[in-house]
Amino acid sequence: MARLRGPVREHTTDASTPRLEARSLCKTFTKRGNTLEALHDVSFSVAPGEFVALLGASGCGKTTLLRTVDGLEPITSGQLLINGEEEHTPGPDRGVVFQQDSLFPWRSVLKNVRMGLEFQRKPRKVASEQARRYIELVGLGGFEDHYPHELSGGMRQRANLARAFCIQPELLLMDEPFAALDAQTREIMQTELLRIWAETAGGTVLFVTHQIDEATFLSDRIVVLTARPGRIKEIVDVPFPRPRDLSIKRTPEFVAIVDRVWTMIEEEVRTAMGMTTSHDSVDDLEHTALPGNR
Amino acid sequence: MPGDTTQSVWNEKKGSTAPSRKTGRRSWSLVSLYRKRSVWVHTILTIILGMVLWQVAAAHTSELVMVPLGAIWKAFLAAVKSGQLGNDFLASFQGFLIGLVLASAAGIVIGVVMATSKIVFDFVDPWVSAMYSTPLIALAPLFIVVFGIGLTAKVAVVITLAIFPVIINTAAGIRTTDRNLIECANSFGADRLQVFSKVLIPAAVPFIVTGLRLAVGRGLIGIVVAEFFGARAGLGHMVFNASQNFDTAGVWLGVFILAIIGMTLIKLMYRFERWIAPWRDFEVQ
Ligand SMILES: Nc1ncnc2c1ncn2[C@@H]1O[C@H](COP(=O)(O)OP(=O)(O)OP(=O)(O)O)[C@@H](O)[C@H]1O
Ligand SMILES: [Mg+2]
């Protein structure tokens, strides 16, 4: 299949500049005098073209981190560099797939997908044409004129993907895009995502999830966060060659990485749930918490 | 079979008992015909029932209060023949329509301004809420005093009654827009104007139409009452005149016509709501 795009925006920065770099990033929420530290001293970088997963227990600040990168949430201290420059507002160089359903209910699939181009005041015809290509790409061809409430959950997520891809962002931010899907659909969407990503000559992806096997399957590196306040616990390399298909999930190497990350995160989940590490509760937890991750 | 599932969903909604599989298949055509047309069947039945009850009641009450339907029908034919009914209808309709259009336009603008400026909202909202819940119709005689007998007074009364639901619903629609959608638009690079025209206004449209529907109902009351107090023509004028002349059939004729107009308009507004916001899953009223 023909590549849908080459590099979009020319940057004067050289290839060694990370697409995204966080330096000692801190984020504190203040509400009626109460402060809540969501992120503490987070530093990591993402190279151009890299697929990085952000993994952590619920409430550890994954969404918050993604929102600061998108420019929806100001940072409290530290630095956040996009292509080596500080960015404080959302821009067309970043596309987001939100955790919650965020398709516009009064817009058809086509109009939802071309929304970003519309906001950039691209001619309607050009925008529609481009949107159609991405709708086709995510497998929603024929549903252009359907409204979101006429689609299944999986189809809505495809539309969300198409909308984010359609602005051809350099940096794609995805916040648990498949969390609401059933297990089978989720696995299919994971392979679909990799396919779309490859066919669009891949932007850089920051993918939030709390599913260890999802992170391992999709990414080049996994950034593991601690329980709140989120700090970097460890960054794990995932060396599988691409293209990948679901069968790698059964290889011993894959299982080894999942196991390693699991032990890392187990303690954090426990902390997040307000448990202490005691030997008695280990078995309980393994059978109740995060089923399906092992 | 897809037909099966839709049928059973439909069944549950209407609360009727689902026929067992066997009998359901057998008597399919008759049952399904009734189901498809049941609204019409029920509507016609209830109208017939109402007419029967009316005749019984009319036979047992004073001629000054109720008259048989035949007398009302005669009055109708006479009024149509003389051209009086057409005149009155047009006179009312003119005042109603002008008032409603002005109230809608002004109401939407005021609602939008209220919703987009917190200061304006804080200053205006108490008054709007107070006036919405006050029976402002009581002011109708004063309007006649100010504007004199004629179209202006009627329009003023209609506007006074119709504008508040439009203002309140428009403002509510914009203020309750899903924050996630606004944020999503921001994230995709929308500027303030685009957020306004492509998120806030579309999100408010169903609310605005609901406000308009309420405005139609109140405007109708407004026009009739305004015509009670002083008018040279109009349906309200007709009812008032008839009651002054102890013409009970004339009174009921006016009331029936107003009821039919009101029902038709409200039905049309529901249609309009569904047409303009097809993404909304409207329950049957
Ligand atoms: N706007 C806000 N105001 C105050 N506190 C907030 C706000 N947004 C998030 N928080 C807090 O910051 C912490 C991190 O929230 P965040 O949504 O980033 O978690 P998460 O890692 O995405 O969790 P999940 O996996 O459940 O989505 C939470 O404790 C949350 O209560
Ligand atoms: Mg989250």
Side-chain angles (χ1 to χ4, degrees):
Chain A
M1 175 181 263
R3 298 229 149 170
L4 284 174
R5 69 179 185 108
V8 190
R9 266 161 285 274
E10 297 300 327
H11 270 276
T12 45
T13 48
D14 59 298
S16 63
T17 313
R19 179 112 309 153
L20 166 68
E21 191 177 3
R23 291 184 188 159
S24 315
L25 189 152
C26 295
K27 172 72 196 176
T28 310
F29 289 105
T30 314
K31 213 176 206 173
R32 289 189 222 97
N34 293 334
T35 58
L36 185 139
E37 194 176 27
L39 295 166
H40 181 80
D41 195 18
V42 171
S43 302
F44 70 99
S45 67
V46 183
E50 205 179 10
F51 198 126
V52 170
L54 205 56
L55 192 72
S58 181
C60 76
K62 306 180 295 293
T63 299
T64 305
L65 180 53
L66 212 72
R67 287 166 55 83
T68 61
V69 174
D70 191 41
L72 290 172
E73 198 83 68
I75 60 177
T76 310
S77 68
Q79 269 185 312
L80 195 59
L81 304 176
I82 287 157
N83 295 312
E85 287 159 35
E86 293 215 43
E87 284 273 5
H88 298 293
T89 49
D93 54 336
R94 280 151 290 157
V96 188
V97 180
F98 289 94
Q99 182 168 11
Q100 72 283 356
D101 200 356
S102 63
L103 291 175
F104 284 42
W106 56 84
R107 286 182 162 236
S108 63
V109 169
L110 177 70
K111 287 182 177 169
N112 263 293
V113 173
R114 75 166 190 219
M115 197 177 82
L117 300 175
E118 224 174 284
F119 291 153
Q120 295 170 28
R121 302 186 197 283
K122 289 260 162 66
R124 185 154 293 193
K125 221 176 133 200
V126 178
S128 292
E129 232 163 69
Q130 189 162 325
R132 272 177 215 284
R133 283 209 303 274
Y134 283 91
I135 291 169
E136 204 65 52
L137 186 72
V138 299
L140 279 183
F143 289 92
E144 288 87 348
D145 296 327
H146 285 233
Y147 286 94
H149 76 264
E150 298 169 321
L151 305 178
S152 71
M155 289 161 93
R156 278 205 288 273
Q157 263 331 327
R158 283 170 192 268
N160 266 321
L161 288 185
R163 183 172 67 181
F165 273 104
C166 187
I167 60 170
Q168 303 181 327
E170 292 181 324
L171 182 54
L172 252 175
L173 308 169
M174 302 199 204
D175 193 357
E176 305 192 33
F178 309 141
L181 305 180
D182 62 88
Q184 291 93 315
T185 314
R186 189 186 310 140
E187 298 227 314
I188 290 165
M189 288 303 292
Q190 289 165 6
T191 44
E192 286 284 274
L193 173 61
L194 289 186
R195 173 185 66 80
I196 297 162
W197 184 56
E199 280 177 14
T200 51
T204 311
V205 182
L206 188 59
F207 187 99
V208 165
T209 178
H210 54 232
Q211 286 252 314
I212 299 173
D213 85 318
E214 185 169 79
T216 313
F217 177 66
L218 293 173
S219 68
D220 301 314
R221 283 189 302 151
I222 304 174
V223 175
V224 182
L225 292 177
T226 64
R228 202 186 69 225
R231 273 164 286 127
I232 303 251
K233 172 119 177 165
E234 209 167 318
I235 297 180
V236 180
D237 278 313
V238 185
F240 302 115
R242 295 183 191 274
R244 299 173 182 174
D245 66 75
L246 285 171
S247 62
I248 66 162
K249 287 194 179 181
R250 288 188 290 277
T251 60
E253 294 86 346
F254 189 93
V255 176
I257 291 178
V258 171
D259 264 356
R260 213 181 117 210
V261 177
W262 168 254
T263 43
M264 240 177 256
I265 219 163
E266 185 181 7
E267 202 185 307
E268 301 305 327
V269 173
R270 232 183 263 287
T271 317
M273 290 166 56
M275 292 181 172
T276 48
T277 323
S278 83
H279 242 53
D280 301 346
S281 58
V282 170
D283 284 337
D284 284 0
L285 190 73
E286 274 178 359
H287 290 118
T288 52
L290 294 183
N293 273 341
R294 288 209 84 166
Chain B
M1 191 172 134
D4 258 344
T5 52
T6 53
Q7 278 300 341
S8 70
V9 166
W10 208 88
N11 255 336
E12 276 167 32
K13 262 194 188 161
K14 288 288 167 191
S16 60
T17 44
S20 77
R21 231 158 225 287
K22 266 184 195 162
T23 55
R25 285 274 152 77
R26 294 269 153 76
S27 55
W28 190 249
S29 60
L30 244 178
V31 171
S32 77
L33 184 76
Y34 170 68
R35 276 187 191 152
K36 264 187 209 150
R37 299 273 164 250
S38 68
V39 178
W40 288 104
V41 175
H42 296 162
T43 308
I44 290 166
L45 282 178
T46 194
I47 288 175
I48 292 173
L49 185 69
M51 287 166 85
V52 169
L53 286 176
W54 177 279
Q55 294 296 54
V56 171
H60 290 88
T61 41
S62 154
E63 282 270 303
L64 285 176
V65 180
M66 283 179 101
V67 291
L69 291 170
I72 298 174
W73 180 248
K74 255 187 221 148
F76 173 71
L77 291 180
V80 170
K81 217 172 169 193
S82 70
Q84 188 59 41
L85 188 62
N87 272 347
D88 284 331
F89 178 81
L90 284 180
S92 293
F93 192 69
Q94 188 189 20
F96 171 75
L97 200 66
I98 296 174
L100 191 68
V101 167
L102 292 178
S104 307
I108 291 172
V109 170
I110 296 172
V112 165
V113 173
M114 268 174 78
T116 42
S117 158
K118 194 172 149 27
I119 294 184
V120 173
F121 185 86
D122 289 347
F123 270 86
V124 177
D125 183 57
W127 300 107
V128 169
S129 306
M131 299 220 259
Y132 179 54
S133 37
T134 310
L136 289 174
I137 193 76
L139 295 177
L142 295 186
F143 282 92
I144 313 288
V145 171
V146 174
F147 295 108
I149 290 177
L151 187 63
T152 321
K154 290 192 200 177
V155 170
V157 175
V158 171
I159 292 178
T160 311
L161 281 181
I163 198 169
F164 293 105
V166 180
I167 296 178
I168 287 176
N169 278 278
T170 304
I174 291 177
R175 288 163 63 89
T176 55
T177 304
D178 188 350
R179 284 198 52 82
N180 289 327
L181 295 183
I182 299 175
E183 209 155 63
C184 176
N186 280 328
S187 160
F188 276 92
D191 56 37
R192 281 175 64 96
L193 188 72
Q194 286 169 327
V195 168
F196 179 75
S197 64
K198 304 203 167 184
V199 187
L200 296 180
I201 291 296
V205 160
F207 287 78
I208 295 176
V209 181
T210 304
L212 293 181
R213 172 162 51 76
L214 298 173
V216 164
R218 290 169 62 106
L220 205 59
I221 295 175
I223 193 76
V224 172
V225 173
E227 286 168 352
F228 273 12
F229 288 105
R232 282 181 210 96
L235 293 170
H237 175 70
M238 169 186 147
V239 170
F240 191 72
N241 255 5
S243 79
Q244 294 290 298
N245 298 332
F246 302 104
D247 170 14
T248 312
V251 171
W252 281 114
L253 174 61
V255 170
F256 279 164
I257 289 174
L258 287 170
I260 290 169
I261 294 173
M263 265 165 56
T264 311
L265 286 174
I266 300 294
K267 268 256 154 62
L268 283 177
M269 291 307 289
Y270 274 120
R271 284 256 171 104
F272 184 54
E273 276 181 88
R274 251 175 280 194
W275 173 77
I276 208 159
W279 65 89
R280 264 193 153 194
D281 286 329
F282 281 98
E283 292 298 315
V284 185
Q285 284 136 39

